[in-house]
Amino acid sequence: MLPLLASDTIHRRFEMPLTPLEGRAELRDALAFATRSIHGGPGPDPTTGAILTPIHQSTTYVQEEVGRHKGFTYSRDTNPTVAALERALGSLEGTPPAVCTATGMAATSVLCLATLEAGDRVVLGEVVYGGTFRLLAEILSRFDVRVDRVDSSDPNALRAALREPARLVIVESPANPTLGLCDLAAAAEAAHAGGALLVVDNTFMTPALQSPLEFGADVVLYSTTKSIEGHNATLGGALLSRDSDLLECFRSVRKTLGAPQSPFEAWLTLRGLKTLELRMARHSSSALQVARYLAKHPSVARVANPFLEDFPQRELARRQQRDGGGMIALELEGGTPAVLEFLRSTRLFSLAENLGAAESLVTHPATMTHGSVPPAERERLGLGDGLVRLSVGLEDPNDLIADLARALAAAGGAR
Ligand SMILES: *Cc1c(COP(=O)(O)O)cnc(C)c1O
């Protein structure tokens, strides 16, 4: 792990208004998630009474004298609006304030540069976000970091991989885009046996639906770009942990790397948090309804959503998730021509990357998010040309089903 820079220890304590729940764990723990997501950030602005934390669009902060300031010096290090988001996220996860970054990939970069050294080994889930794979396999490998990929849906495969020591184990559950689950408690045990930290990319679930730290994970990573902000409006990332030293190390690397969250994006993300539980409940119930419809459709070869009745890891899904989430993986009969026609024919589902927002989206992983995975590898991992990923939005589910019915009819005609 990188040693802390001396200057980082000076301004740990921000002179910001206390959040209504801060320092009062017993009060926070007694409140339900929806209440914490509204009251977990800082209280009203002390100078004006504004109920929302203002957007502090300022690069620098005037110091009273050398070494005396209010906890903020330069916004590449930290910014009051970003700090408010970090405290709100920490309150939801039951941790110290998060470390918020410019994008999800910036969070992954900060994580890796803070924890890895030349010669280190990383065990990476086989099915993960394409950018995570590229960072490790194409960039960090040049700095003598070794990456071994393992089927993270198989606890025995993880245990076998960790017989050799590693520094990090990075997994997603559900994985993007196949929705395979990782048994997080078993993964934590395997990682710790190999001397590694378990990092869970919890982007698909958000803190509303899954709490990896409770299963023994050491670090939770988010692309807040997705469901946490939830309106297709921002890019952002976050790292959370119960280990304050590790968080300080992330802060130090974020500052040096120059990858902080921006105040406006942080403000929009704070706003997104307030409806997170409502949105995730709606995404989940609509996705389940849509998946049940698709499961019965003759043009559909396979459909997956973790809470669907015949999902292979349904028991694990019930054990570690509070709901199924808004994502569906879908394979069509009729191969590439049918898929292309389907992607041309939806009207409410827009063909786009991103997920977890109000607008329903459809993605073709083989040519879009996972285009950099070699074709043979894609086939082996279940990311073939026939795979379609749906992000079920907040529209009325019956309208979404009608849209898919029309597109499936068109795709059937293309066979
Ligand atoms: C999108 C995504 C990322 C990367 O986040 P960006 O904000 O686009 O940089 C990482 N992990 C998962 C699971 C994602 O879906």
Side-chain angles (χ1 to χ4, degrees):
M1 198 165 98
L2 206 79
L4 287 177
L5 305 181
S7 66
D8 290 318
T9 52
I10 299 171
H11 42 77
R12 293 268 178 88
R13 286 283 131 241
F14 304 135
E15 282 182 32
M16 286 187 75
L18 275 183
T19 80
L21 309 177
E22 223 158 30
R24 300 162 80 182
E26 73 299 339
L27 185 57
R28 188 194 65 216
D29 295 346
L31 294 172
F33 186 90
T35 312
R36 278 187 283 138
S37 67
I38 292 165
H39 294 284
D45 179 50
T47 52
T48 61
I51 195 160
L52 300 184
T53 303
I55 304 170
H56 291 275
Q57 193 67 48
S58 183
T59 313
T60 194
Y61 306 84
V62 177
Q63 309 195 6
E64 288 134 58
E65 59 178 279
V66 173
R68 246 171 77 92
H69 52 72
K70 294 181 161 43
F72 297 93
T73 53
Y74 190 58
S75 282
R76 173 154 53 76
D77 178 21
T78 186
N79 166 286
T81 315
V82 177
L85 172 62
E86 293 177 332
R87 288 154 74 177
L89 281 170
S91 158
L92 289 182
E93 207 86 48
T95 64
V99 177
C100 286
T101 51
T103 65
M105 281 311 301
T108 311
S109 305
V110 166
L111 164 80
C112 290
L113 291 178
T115 54
L116 297 173
E117 293 172 15
D120 277 348
R121 174 172 179 255
V122 176
V123 172
L124 180 65
E126 226 165 31
V127 180
V128 289
Y129 180 71
T132 309
F133 170 68
R134 281 200 303 281
L135 174 69
L136 285 155
E138 292 175 16
I139 298 180
L140 292 173
S141 60
R142 290 194 275 120
F143 300 88
D144 196 23
V145 168
R146 201 175 113 212
V147 185
D148 287 326
R149 306 183 75 192
V150 43
D151 177 0
S152 58
S153 70
D154 176 2
N156 289 325
L158 272 170
R159 277 190 278 272
L162 269 303
R163 276 191 206 114
E164 187 187 342
R167 183 77 64 178
L168 294 178
V169 175
I170 305 177
V171 298
E172 293 177 9
S173 186
N176 183 2
T178 57
L179 306 183
L181 305 189
C182 173
D183 182 329
L184 298 178
E189 225 181 279
H192 297 157
L197 298 175
L198 176 65
V199 180
V200 176
D201 181 336
N202 202 33
T203 297
F204 274 29
M205 287 281 97
T206 80
L209 300 190
Q210 181 169 267
S211 305
L213 299 177
E214 283 170 17
F215 295 97
D218 302 283
V219 178
V220 176
L221 183 148
Y222 290 109
S223 167
T224 61
T225 310
K226 314 292 168 56
S227 309
I228 289 185
E229 189 274 321
H231 293 76
N232 275 327
T234 62
L235 293 170
L239 291 163
L240 291 111
S241 172
R242 288 179 177 151
D243 182 338
S244 307
D245 291 340
L246 195 56
L247 289 169
E248 283 308 320
C249 192
F250 293 158
R251 265 179 232 294
S252 163
V253 172
R254 174 185 64 179
K255 171 172 125 183
T256 306
L257 203 60
Q261 177 61 285
S262 86
F264 184 48
E265 316 270 284
W267 188 86
L268 287 170
T269 307
L270 270 167
R271 182 169 149 141
L273 275 189
K274 302 197 187 216
T275 55
L276 180 61
E277 193 198 45
L278 271 177
R279 288 185 289 106
M280 292 313 288
R282 173 69 172 233
H283 285 305
S284 298
S285 67
S286 292
L288 188 58
Q289 201 177 324
V290 168
R292 283 177 179 152
Y293 165 78
L294 292 170
K296 289 204 217 88
H297 198 288
S299 303
V300 171
R302 203 182 66 85
V303 59
N305 172 270
F307 269 37
L308 195 61
E309 286 66 21
D310 66 352
F311 185 73
Q313 295 169 293
R314 186 158 176 272
E315 188 271 323
L316 176 61
R318 299 271 162 172
R319 184 147 38 95
Q320 67 189 20
Q321 301 180 192
R322 289 183 278 277
D323 211 337
M327 303 303 294
I328 293 176
L330 173 68
E331 272 175 46
L332 298 187
E333 303 282 4
T336 307
V339 168
L340 292 179
E341 195 52 38
F342 176 79
L343 296 173
R344 254 195 295 272
S345 305
T346 55
R347 293 180 198 156
L348 294 177
F349 282 86
S350 303
L351 180 64
E353 306 203 3
N354 207 14
L355 57 97
E359 294 83 5
S360 288
L361 300 178
V362 56
T363 306
H364 188 227
T367 54
M368 297 165 74
T369 49
H370 292 70
S372 62
V373 182
E377 175 87 343
R378 272 208 307 272
E379 281 304 327
R380 188 178 69 77
L381 299 175
L383 313 175
D385 292 342
L387 182 71
V388 171
R389 187 185 80 183
L390 299 179
S391 171
V392 177
L394 302 176
E395 303 92 339
D396 188 293
N398 292 317
D399 290 334
L400 296 178
I401 288 172
D403 189 41
L404 295 173
R406 191 175 42 238
L408 286 168
R415 283 160 68 185

